[in-house]
Amino acid sequence: MNENLFASFIAPTILGLPAAVLIILFPPLLIPTSKYLINNRLITTQQWLIKLISKQMMTMHNTKGRTWSLMLVSLIIFIATTNLLGLLPHSFTPTTQLSMNLAMAIPLWAGAVIMGFRSKIKNALAHFLPQGTPTPLIPMLVIIETISLLIQPMALAVRLTANITAGHLLMHLIGSATLAMSTINLPSTLIIFTILILLTILEIAVALIQAYVFTLLVSLYLHDNT
C-alpha cells in the first residue's frame, strides 16, 4: 500500500540503461508472419483486420493521401499493441509518456500540413480566414485559426496520454482497494473485484479505441491537406 501511485509510469531501466527503446520495439515482434502458401486462422484474421482498417481509413483520401496507408496502418497497430501490453501486470506503457506521444504526433501532423502547403497552398491558407468574415474580425480570426492549427499535435498527444494514464490509475486504485478489503470484508472484496474485472474489460476497449481515434485524427488532418 506504500507503493507510489505513479511508480508504474516511470520509464524502466536495465543496469542503469533506459529500457524504453526495447519495450517500444517489442510489440512488432508479436505480429505473426506467414511463410506458407496457405495461412492459418490467426494470420487470416490479422490480414482481414488490416484490410478492414485500411479500407475505412483510406476511403475518403485521394491518390496522394493513399500513399500514407502503410504508415497509418502501422501506426494504429503499434499504438493498439503497446496499449494492450501495458495492461499486463508489472509492465510499462510507453503511451503514458507525453514525450513519446508528441514524438509520434508532431512529425505526422507536420508532414500533413507541409504537404498541404506544397500541393494546395490556396486551400491551406483559406482555412485561416473563413469566407464572409467581417473585416474587423479578420486579424482575430487569423490568430485563432493559427493557434488552433498549432495545438493539433498537442491535442493528439494529450488525449492519448490522459486516457491511458487515467485508466491505469483507476485500475491501480481499485486493485489496491481490493487487496486491502480482502482481509476485512469478503463480500465487499468480491464486489470490488467484479468492478475491477469490468474495468479491465473497459480498458481493453479504451486501448483499442484510443489507437483508432489517434490514427483517425491523423488521417483527417491528412485529408484536409491533400
Side-chain angles (χ1 to χ4, degrees), residues 9 87 161-174 196 199-200 203 206:
F9 302 112
L87 296 175
T161 304
N163 281 282
I164 301 301
T165 303
H168 282 53
L169 288 176
L170 192 57
M171 289 180 63
H172 181 84
L173 291 172
I174 295 180
L196 180 61
L199 181 62
T200 303
E203 281 304 305
V206 169

PDB file of all heavy atoms in Angstrom, residues 9 87 161-174 196 199-200 203 206:
ATOM      1  N   PHE A   9       4.483   4.450 -14.036  1.00  0.00           N
ATOM      2  CA  PHE A   9       4.673   5.336 -15.186  1.00  0.00           C
ATOM      3  C   PHE A   9       6.118   5.786 -15.347  1.00  0.00           C
ATOM      4  O   PHE A   9       6.440   6.518 -16.285  1.00  0.00           O
ATOM      5  CB  PHE A   9       3.773   6.570 -15.061  1.00  0.00           C
ATOM      6  CG  PHE A   9       2.312   6.231 -14.949  1.00  0.00           C
ATOM      7  CD1 PHE A   9       1.634   6.456 -13.773  1.00  0.00           C
ATOM      8  CD2 PHE A   9       1.628   5.669 -16.012  1.00  0.00           C
ATOM      9  CE1 PHE A   9       0.290   6.137 -13.650  1.00  0.00           C
ATOM     10  CE2 PHE A   9       0.284   5.344 -15.905  1.00  0.00           C
ATOM     11  CZ  PHE A   9      -0.382   5.576 -14.716  1.00  0.00           C
ATOM     12  N   LEU A  87      -1.418  -3.267 -20.154  1.00  0.00           N
ATOM     13  CA  LEU A  87      -2.395  -3.764 -19.191  1.00  0.00           C
ATOM     14  C   LEU A  87      -1.900  -4.992 -18.443  1.00  0.00           C
ATOM     15  O   LEU A  87      -2.531  -5.417 -17.473  1.00  0.00           O
ATOM     16  CB  LEU A  87      -3.717  -4.090 -19.906  1.00  0.00           C
ATOM     17  CG  LEU A  87      -4.439  -2.899 -20.547  1.00  0.00           C
ATOM     18  CD1 LEU A  87      -5.666  -3.382 -21.311  1.00  0.00           C
ATOM     19  CD2 LEU A  87      -4.855  -1.888 -19.488  1.00  0.00           C
ATOM     20  N   THR A 161      -2.419  10.386 -23.961  1.00  0.00           N
ATOM     21  CA  THR A 161      -1.760  10.255 -22.657  1.00  0.00           C
ATOM     22  C   THR A 161      -2.762  10.266 -21.520  1.00  0.00           C
ATOM     23  O   THR A 161      -2.706   9.431 -20.607  1.00  0.00           O
ATOM     24  CB  THR A 161      -0.746  11.402 -22.460  1.00  0.00           C
ATOM     25  OG1 THR A 161       0.186  11.400 -23.541  1.00  0.00           O
ATOM     26  CG2 THR A 161      -0.001  11.245 -21.150  1.00  0.00           C
ATOM     27  N   ALA A 162      -3.704  11.199 -21.557  1.00  0.00           N
ATOM     28  CA  ALA A 162      -4.664  11.344 -20.464  1.00  0.00           C
ATOM     29  C   ALA A 162      -5.575  10.124 -20.349  1.00  0.00           C
ATOM     30  O   ALA A 162      -5.828   9.633 -19.237  1.00  0.00           O
ATOM     31  CB  ALA A 162      -5.494  12.601 -20.680  1.00  0.00           C
ATOM     32  N   ASN A 163      -6.054   9.620 -21.464  1.00  0.00           N
ATOM     33  CA  ASN A 163      -6.974   8.479 -21.415  1.00  0.00           C
ATOM     34  C   ASN A 163      -6.286   7.213 -20.908  1.00  0.00           C
ATOM     35  O   ASN A 163      -6.853   6.485 -20.082  1.00  0.00           O
ATOM     36  CB  ASN A 163      -7.578   8.232 -22.800  1.00  0.00           C
ATOM     37  CG  ASN A 163      -8.699   9.191 -23.131  1.00  0.00           C
ATOM     38  OD1 ASN A 163      -9.825   9.047 -22.664  1.00  0.00           O
ATOM     39  ND2 ASN A 163      -8.395  10.199 -23.925  1.00  0.00           N
ATOM     40  N   ILE A 164      -5.089   6.949 -21.404  1.00  0.00           N
ATOM     41  CA  ILE A 164      -4.380   5.743 -20.966  1.00  0.00           C
ATOM     42  C   ILE A 164      -3.941   5.876 -19.513  1.00  0.00           C
ATOM     43  O   ILE A 164      -4.078   4.937 -18.713  1.00  0.00           O
ATOM     44  CB  ILE A 164      -3.172   5.477 -21.877  1.00  0.00           C
ATOM     45  CG1 ILE A 164      -3.624   5.301 -23.332  1.00  0.00           C
ATOM     46  CG2 ILE A 164      -2.426   4.231 -21.414  1.00  0.00           C
ATOM     47  CD1 ILE A 164      -4.611   4.175 -23.542  1.00  0.00           C
ATOM     48  N   THR A 165      -3.435   7.036 -19.120  1.00  0.00           N
ATOM     49  CA  THR A 165      -2.978   7.237 -17.743  1.00  0.00           C
ATOM     50  C   THR A 165      -4.131   7.155 -16.759  1.00  0.00           C
ATOM     51  O   THR A 165      -4.007   6.532 -15.695  1.00  0.00           O
ATOM     52  CB  THR A 165      -2.281   8.604 -17.612  1.00  0.00           C
ATOM     53  OG1 THR A 165      -1.193   8.673 -18.538  1.00  0.00           O
ATOM     54  CG2 THR A 165      -1.754   8.804 -16.207  1.00  0.00           C
ATOM     55  N   ALA A 166      -5.261   7.773 -17.087  1.00  0.00           N
ATOM     56  CA  ALA A 166      -6.412   7.756 -16.181  1.00  0.00           C
ATOM     57  C   ALA A 166      -6.905   6.327 -15.950  1.00  0.00           C
ATOM     58  O   ALA A 166      -7.221   5.942 -14.816  1.00  0.00           O
ATOM     59  CB  ALA A 166      -7.534   8.615 -16.757  1.00  0.00           C
ATOM     60  N   GLY A 167      -6.953   5.532 -17.002  1.00  0.00           N
ATOM     61  CA  GLY A 167      -7.393   4.150 -16.851  1.00  0.00           C
ATOM     62  C   GLY A 167      -6.444   3.340 -15.977  1.00  0.00           C
ATOM     63  O   GLY A 167      -6.887   2.557 -15.123  1.00  0.00           O
ATOM     64  N   HIS A 168      -5.147   3.520 -16.169  1.00  0.00           N
ATOM     65  CA  HIS A 168      -4.163   2.792 -15.368  1.00  0.00           C
ATOM     66  C   HIS A 168      -4.244   3.192 -13.893  1.00  0.00           C
ATOM     67  O   HIS A 168      -4.151   2.338 -13.006  1.00  0.00           O
ATOM     68  CB  HIS A 168      -2.761   3.040 -15.913  1.00  0.00           C
ATOM     69  CG  HIS A 168      -2.443   2.245 -17.140  1.00  0.00           C
ATOM     70  ND1 HIS A 168      -3.244   2.253 -18.253  1.00  0.00           N
ATOM     71  CD2 HIS A 168      -1.411   1.411 -17.448  1.00  0.00           C
ATOM     72  CE1 HIS A 168      -2.728   1.469 -19.188  1.00  0.00           C
ATOM     73  NE2 HIS A 168      -1.613   0.945 -18.716  1.00  0.00           N
ATOM     74  N   LEU A 169      -4.406   4.483 -13.642  1.00  0.00           N
ATOM     75  CA  LEU A 169      -4.517   4.943 -12.254  1.00  0.00           C
ATOM     76  C   LEU A 169      -5.761   4.379 -11.584  1.00  0.00           C
ATOM     77  O   LEU A 169      -5.717   3.955 -10.419  1.00  0.00           O
ATOM     78  CB  LEU A 169      -4.543   6.472 -12.212  1.00  0.00           C
ATOM     79  CG  LEU A 169      -3.232   7.195 -12.507  1.00  0.00           C
ATOM     80  CD1 LEU A 169      -3.448   8.699 -12.529  1.00  0.00           C
ATOM     81  CD2 LEU A 169      -2.178   6.835 -11.470  1.00  0.00           C
ATOM     82  N   LEU A 170      -6.877   4.368 -12.303  1.00  0.00           N
ATOM     83  CA  LEU A 170      -8.113   3.840 -11.731  1.00  0.00           C
ATOM     84  C   LEU A 170      -7.996   2.347 -11.444  1.00  0.00           C
ATOM     85  O   LEU A 170      -8.446   1.871 -10.384  1.00  0.00           O
ATOM     86  CB  LEU A 170      -9.272   4.108 -12.696  1.00  0.00           C
ATOM     87  CG  LEU A 170     -10.687   3.873 -12.160  1.00  0.00           C
ATOM     88  CD1 LEU A 170     -10.933   4.714 -10.915  1.00  0.00           C
ATOM     89  CD2 LEU A 170     -11.718   4.218 -13.229  1.00  0.00           C
ATOM     90  N   MET A 171      -7.372   1.597 -12.347  1.00  0.00           N
ATOM     91  CA  MET A 171      -7.161   0.170 -12.098  1.00  0.00           C
ATOM     92  C   MET A 171      -6.254  -0.048 -10.899  1.00  0.00           C
ATOM     93  O   MET A 171      -6.470  -0.958 -10.089  1.00  0.00           O
ATOM     94  CB  MET A 171      -6.564  -0.487 -13.349  1.00  0.00           C
ATOM     95  CG  MET A 171      -7.517  -0.604 -14.510  1.00  0.00           C
ATOM     96  SD  MET A 171      -6.758  -1.370 -15.955  1.00  0.00           S
ATOM     97  CE  MET A 171      -6.382  -2.987 -15.318  1.00  0.00           C
ATOM     98  N   HIS A 172      -5.227   0.799 -10.769  1.00  0.00           N
ATOM     99  CA  HIS A 172      -4.305   0.678  -9.638  1.00  0.00           C
ATOM    100  C   HIS A 172      -5.032   0.944  -8.323  1.00  0.00           C
ATOM    101  O   HIS A 172      -4.839   0.216  -7.330  1.00  0.00           O
ATOM    102  CB  HIS A 172      -3.151   1.665  -9.812  1.00  0.00           C
ATOM    103  CG  HIS A 172      -2.138   1.608  -8.709  1.00  0.00           C
ATOM    104  ND1 HIS A 172      -1.109   0.696  -8.695  1.00  0.00           N
ATOM    105  CD2 HIS A 172      -2.003   2.337  -7.575  1.00  0.00           C
ATOM    106  CE1 HIS A 172      -0.375   0.873  -7.607  1.00  0.00           C
ATOM    107  NE2 HIS A 172      -0.899   1.878  -6.914  1.00  0.00           N
ATOM    108  N   LEU A 173      -5.874   1.966  -8.285  1.00  0.00           N
ATOM    109  CA  LEU A 173      -6.593   2.305  -7.058  1.00  0.00           C
ATOM    110  C   LEU A 173      -7.587   1.216  -6.667  1.00  0.00           C
ATOM    111  O   LEU A 173      -7.674   0.823  -5.502  1.00  0.00           O
ATOM    112  CB  LEU A 173      -7.309   3.645  -7.240  1.00  0.00           C
ATOM    113  CG  LEU A 173      -6.411   4.887  -7.333  1.00  0.00           C
ATOM    114  CD1 LEU A 173      -7.234   6.108  -7.707  1.00  0.00           C
ATOM    115  CD2 LEU A 173      -5.689   5.121  -6.014  1.00  0.00           C
ATOM    116  N   ILE A 174      -8.347   0.726  -7.654  1.00  0.00           N
ATOM    117  CA  ILE A 174      -9.331  -0.315  -7.348  1.00  0.00           C
ATOM    118  C   ILE A 174      -8.634  -1.622  -6.970  1.00  0.00           C
ATOM    119  O   ILE A 174      -9.084  -2.348  -6.076  1.00  0.00           O
ATOM    120  CB  ILE A 174     -10.280  -0.510  -8.549  1.00  0.00           C
ATOM    121  CG1 ILE A 174     -11.109   0.757  -8.767  1.00  0.00           C
ATOM    122  CG2 ILE A 174     -11.193  -1.705  -8.325  1.00  0.00           C
ATOM    123  CD1 ILE A 174     -12.070   0.672  -9.920  1.00  0.00           C
ATOM    124  N   LEU A 196     -13.379  -4.428 -10.725  1.00  0.00           N
ATOM    125  CA  LEU A 196     -12.044  -4.411 -11.328  1.00  0.00           C
ATOM    126  C   LEU A 196     -12.015  -5.198 -12.629  1.00  0.00           C
ATOM    127  O   LEU A 196     -11.390  -4.767 -13.611  1.00  0.00           O
ATOM    128  CB  LEU A 196     -11.024  -4.986 -10.337  1.00  0.00           C
ATOM    129  CG  LEU A 196      -9.568  -5.038 -10.810  1.00  0.00           C
ATOM    130  CD1 LEU A 196      -9.045  -3.648 -11.131  1.00  0.00           C
ATOM    131  CD2 LEU A 196      -8.680  -5.702  -9.764  1.00  0.00           C
ATOM    132  N   LEU A 199     -13.741  -3.121 -15.209  1.00  0.00           N
ATOM    133  CA  LEU A 199     -12.885  -2.001 -15.590  1.00  0.00           C
ATOM    134  C   LEU A 199     -11.762  -2.457 -16.515  1.00  0.00           C
ATOM    135  O   LEU A 199     -11.384  -1.729 -17.450  1.00  0.00           O
ATOM    136  CB  LEU A 199     -12.304  -1.335 -14.338  1.00  0.00           C
ATOM    137  CG  LEU A 199     -11.396  -0.128 -14.572  1.00  0.00           C
ATOM    138  CD1 LEU A 199     -12.160   0.995 -15.258  1.00  0.00           C
ATOM    139  CD2 LEU A 199     -10.804   0.370 -13.262  1.00  0.00           C
ATOM    140  N   THR A 200     -11.234  -3.654 -16.278  1.00  0.00           N
ATOM    141  CA  THR A 200     -10.187  -4.188 -17.149  1.00  0.00           C
ATOM    142  C   THR A 200     -10.721  -4.403 -18.564  1.00  0.00           C
ATOM    143  O   THR A 200     -10.043  -4.076 -19.557  1.00  0.00           O
ATOM    144  CB  THR A 200      -9.658  -5.510 -16.586  1.00  0.00           C
ATOM    145  OG1 THR A 200      -9.178  -5.303 -15.245  1.00  0.00           O
ATOM    146  CG2 THR A 200      -8.519  -6.038 -17.449  1.00  0.00           C
ATOM    147  N   GLU A 203     -10.950  -1.074 -20.123  1.00  0.00           N
ATOM    148  CA  GLU A 203      -9.642  -0.551 -20.503  1.00  0.00           C
ATOM    149  C   GLU A 203      -9.109  -1.205 -21.771  1.00  0.00           C
ATOM    150  O   GLU A 203      -8.384  -0.570 -22.540  1.00  0.00           O
ATOM    151  CB  GLU A 203      -8.640  -0.754 -19.347  1.00  0.00           C
ATOM    152  CG  GLU A 203      -8.763   0.270 -18.245  1.00  0.00           C
ATOM    153  CD  GLU A 203      -8.633   1.689 -18.767  1.00  0.00           C
ATOM    154  OE1 GLU A 203      -7.616   2.002 -19.419  1.00  0.00           O
ATOM    155  OE2 GLU A 203      -9.550   2.485 -18.546  1.00  0.00           O
ATOM    156  N   VAL A 206     -10.837   0.716 -24.354  1.00  0.00           N
ATOM    157  CA  VAL A 206     -10.263   2.066 -24.436  1.00  0.00           C
ATOM    158  C   VAL A 206      -8.916   2.034 -25.155  1.00  0.00           C
ATOM    159  O   VAL A 206      -8.609   2.928 -25.966  1.00  0.00           O
ATOM    160  CB  VAL A 206     -10.111   2.670 -23.025  1.00  0.00           C
ATOM    161  CG1 VAL A 206      -9.272   3.949 -23.071  1.00  0.00           C
ATOM    162  CG2 VAL A 206     -11.474   2.979 -22.432  1.00  0.00           C
TER     163      VAL A 206
END
